[in-house]
Amino acid sequence: MIDFASARRRLVNSLKDEGIIRSDRVERAMLTVPREEFLPSYLRLYAYEDTPLEIMYGQTISAPHMVAMMCELLDLKPGLRVLEVGTGTGYHAAVCAEAMERRGVVYTIEYYPGLALYAVQNLAKLGYLDVVHVFIGDGSKGLPRYAPFDRILVTAAAPKIPPKLFEQLSSDGIMVIPIEEGLTQVLYVVTKEDNMPHMKPVTYVSFVRMRYGEE
Ligand code: SAH
C-alpha cells in the first residue's frame, strides 16, 4: 500500500519551500484533495510526483506546482463564482473548490465529453458536485448563461485572450491564462482596467493547446 497522505504532505512541504504555496488557503486545499483519486489506477503511483501526467485523449493533468501556483494567483476566497476552461480530470476544479472552503461555485467546461464524464465521476465520488458544475463544450466561448465570473482559470494554452472570456470576467475579476507566444507559452494574470485587458506575465509554461475558434 502506498501512503498517499504522507506523500501528499511531503509534496506540499516542498512546494512551500519552493515558495509556490504561499497561503494557508492553498496549502489546505492541496492537502485536502487526493490527487490519486483523479488518476487512472496505473498512474496512481505517480500521484505525488510534481509532474504533469498524460490521461485520455492525449490530454494531461497539470503538475501539482502549476495547480498551486494558479490557485495562488487567482486569490480564491469563499463565495466566488469561478469559471475553469479545461476540466480534464476535475482535480484543479476540486482544489479551487477547497481553496474557497467549498463555498461558492466552480463552473468548469471540457471539450471532450468522455473527459467531462470522467471528471464528473471523480468529483461525485469525493462529494464535490454541489460546488463544481461540469459542462461540455468549447470553453473559449465561456459560459454566457452563468456570467459574469469573479475568476477565470484557463488550463489549456490559447493563441490570445478569448474575447468572450474577457467579456465574461467581472470588472474586478482575475483571469489566469497561458498564452502561446511563438514556440513558447507564457502564463498571464489578466485584470480589467477601463474595460481593457491589463496583462501581467508570470512565467513560461507548457500546457496542452486549447481548441480554439472551431465551429
Ligand atoms: N485542469 C485539468 C487539466 C487540464 S488539461 C485537470 O485538473 O485535470 C487541459 C484540458 O483542456 C483538456 O482536458 C482539454 O481537453 C481541454 N480543452 C482544450 N480546449 C478546450 C476548449 N476549447 N474548451 C474546453 N476544454 C478544452
Side-chain angles (χ1 to χ4, degrees), residues 34-41 44 89 102 118-129:
R35 190 168 183 254
E36 69 278 12
E37 296 291 336
F38 291 84
L39 295 172
S41 50
R44 288 202 175 151
T89 62
R102 296 187 178 228
Y118 176 67
V120 166
Q121 287 168 340
N122 294 336
L123 293 161
K125 79 185 165 191
L126 296 165
Y128 283 108
L129 285 189

Side-chain angles (χ1 to χ4, degrees), residues 56 60 74 88 108 135 142 149 152 176 180 192 196 206-207:
M56 300 78 120
T60 53
L74 284 167
T108 179
F135 295 78
F149 300 100
I152 298 181
V176 175
E180 294 176 325
K192 284 194 174 180
M196 294 295 289
S206 177
F207 280 84

Side-chain angles (χ1 to χ4, degrees), residues 44-131:
R44 288 202 175 151
L45 185 60
Y46 309 107
Y48 296 100
E49 302 285 318
D50 191 12
T51 171
L53 296 167
E54 186 161 335
I55 46 170
M56 300 78 120
Y57 305 96
Q59 305 304 321
T60 53
I61 178 172
S62 309
H65 74 268
M66 192 45 59
V67 171
M69 180 189 291
M70 291 172 102
C71 285
E72 292 286 10
L73 293 169
L74 284 167
D75 189 24
L76 297 166
K77 44 194 138 198
L80 296 180
R81 298 162 56 78
V82 179
L83 173 66
E84 179 190 38
V85 176
T87 314
T89 62
Y91 173 69
H92 205 156
V95 174
C96 288
E98 284 296 342
M100 299 196 298
E101 300 169 34
R102 296 187 178 228
R103 288 185 281 139
V105 191
V106 181
Y107 299 88
T108 179
I109 179 163
E110 170 55 47
Y111 185 85
Y112 291 101
L115 270 179
L117 182 61
Y118 176 67
V120 166
Q121 287 168 340
N122 294 336
L123 293 161
K125 79 185 165 191
L126 296 165
Y128 283 108
L129 285 189
D130 52 344
V131 204

